[in-house]
Amino acid sequence: MEPGDSTKQARAAAQLRKGVLEYCVLALMRDRPRYGVELLHALEESGALATSQGTVYPLLSRLRRENLVTTTWQESASGPPRRYYALTASGRAALDEFSHVWPGFRDAVDTFLTVPHPCAGDPT
Amino acid sequence: MKTPTDPTRDYLAAVEREASALPAERRQELLADLAEHIEVTRAERPDATPGEILAELGDPRTIAATALAEAGEGGAPAGAFGSAGAPVRRGRVHPLVPLLMLTVPYLVTTFLWDVPGLALCSGLIRIAGGVLLCTSVHWTAVRKIVGVVLTVVAPTVAGIVWRETTVAPAGDAPALVANLVALAVVAGTSAWLWSSRRS
């Protein structure tokens, strides 16, 4: 049953990641523009948010289409020019909104996960 | 010893193949992003082999599936996915279906006119055939109107006039001739519709 369990864990992690990944990507651009490979490295270092690298590009493409980020090409001292992603005003607004929602969300989940459950009273 | 196969090119070709359901513009953008990623990574990590870089990028199928999922959300109605739902399925029946539904019941009732209940069934099938013809994507509006008039309306009106008024000559022979004429009109119209259909 061990392999099944780890598959289930991976699936649960993937589900969670799906919801928060785009906000983490937006957060990475909060202070300065970043290019794709740079964003992927940061996600990888985080551990839990590491994902198959190639799947981040469709996400970036959507953020671009939704006008949450803009891109500019910049020459690099080494290698080809990089496409830098930067937050737009609406991208920043979306990130702020998520930042407000997230602590309450995280605390609520923690409340459910930690024992004893406040509403677990079972009427005899 | 360089092999003629280029793993990077094969990889991008695999992504392109797996993402064939994506709108062309979106697909090209994805391929450009991946190609750029490979180039930048190669420049930053000269020691990494192409195989390693591609393995880190992940399975082309997974990437294509993610791209398709992303294309489906985020309110992009202009893309192919905005219209890939129910509206496209409507009217996608084979063009032969409405034509057969309009013609065959008419043929059957012409020769089996005394079977009880058959006329009603035939009428219902022909009406359904008319509806399918009108909702089909295979004809222009003008052709649909002409088709419905000639295959449904005209024969039905002629039949009613024939039975309910006295303008028609009495007897079975004229009735059979009239039915054959009507059948010829229906079959001819169906043949014309078939030959003028759009793929």
Side-chain angles (χ1 to χ4, degrees):
Chain A
M1 281 319 227
E2 281 302 312
D5 285 353
S6 67
T7 316
K8 272 179 199 160
Q9 273 181 25
R11 202 175 302 155
Q15 285 290 342
L16 284 172
R17 197 157 51 224
K18 209 176 273 182
V20 300
L21 187 60
E22 64 179 276
Y23 296 103
C24 297
V25 168
L26 291 176
L28 284 170
M29 305 169 196
R30 179 158 35 203
D31 299 328
R32 62 181 176 84
R34 308 255 203 163
Y35 62 94
V37 172
E38 204 183 355
L39 288 168
L40 292 175
H41 281 163
L43 290 175
E44 222 149 87
E45 279 164 20
S46 77
L49 286 166
T51 172
S52 162
Q53 288 182 347
T55 60
V56 176
Y57 288 102
L59 167 67
L60 288 170
S61 160
R62 176 166 61 81
L63 296 178
R64 205 156 51 208
R65 282 201 308 283
E66 291 179 346
N67 197 33
L68 299 177
V69 303
T70 53
T71 63
T72 47
W73 290 94
Q74 284 181 32
E75 292 295 332
S76 161
S78 64
R82 269 66 153 168
R83 189 206 274 254
Y84 277 79
Y85 294 82
L87 285 183
T88 62
S90 50
R92 200 167 286 279
L95 177 58
D96 286 345
E97 206 172 298
F98 182 80
S99 307
H100 279 110
V101 171
W102 176 249
F105 188 88
R106 180 194 53 209
D107 293 347
V109 174
D110 284 346
T111 309
F112 279 104
L113 294 183
T114 48
V115 282
H117 194 290
C119 312
D122 198 4
T124 45
Chain B
M1 276 286 284
K2 251 202 153 178
T3 52
T5 58
D6 177 352
T8 302
R9 202 181 51 202
D10 290 350
Y11 181 89
L12 292 176
V15 174
E16 186 167 19
R17 205 167 47 239
E18 296 290 345
S20 60
L22 217 58
E25 189 192 346
R26 206 64 57 72
R27 192 167 58 238
Q28 291 310 317
E29 188 185 51
L30 174 63
L31 290 171
D33 279 344
L34 295 175
E36 184 209 331
H37 171 95
I38 293 166
E39 261 188 78
V40 170
T41 308
R42 211 181 263 166
E44 291 185 352
R45 286 162 50 201
D47 301 337
T49 66
E52 283 168 0
I53 296 173
L54 299 178
E56 284 169 12
L57 260 180
D59 181 14
R61 198 172 302 171
T62 312
I63 297 173
T66 309
L68 285 168
E70 293 287 4
E73 59 186 89
F81 277 79
S83 56
V88 171
R89 286 211 55 76
R90 171 182 155 273
R92 272 294 157 101
V93 292
H94 193 276
L96 209 52
V97 173
L99 299 185
L100 287 178
M101 287 173 81
L102 289 167
T103 315
V104 173
Y106 206 89
L107 182 72
V108 172
T109 45
T110 299
F111 295 105
L112 300 174
W113 50 272
D114 53 351
V115 178
L118 197 63
L120 180 64
C121 286
S122 152
L124 291 176
I125 294 174
R126 285 169 58 215
I127 290 169
V131 171
L132 282 180
L133 176 68
C134 287
T135 57
S136 172
V137 295
H138 296 285
W139 291 283
T140 61
V142 173
R143 293 213 162 93
K144 285 175 183 175
I145 292 166
V146 172
V148 169
V149 166
L150 288 180
T151 58
V152 183
V153 179
T156 305
V157 170
I160 291 169
V161 169
W162 189 278
R163 278 193 304 274
E164 306 298 329
T165 70
T166 54
V167 295
D172 279 352
L176 182 61
V177 171
N179 268 332
L180 288 175
V181 169
L183 183 60
V185 170
V186 170
T189 308
S190 289
W192 168 72
L193 286 171
W194 174 252
S195 64
S196 67
R197 74 191 184 280
R198 304 183 277 213
S199 54

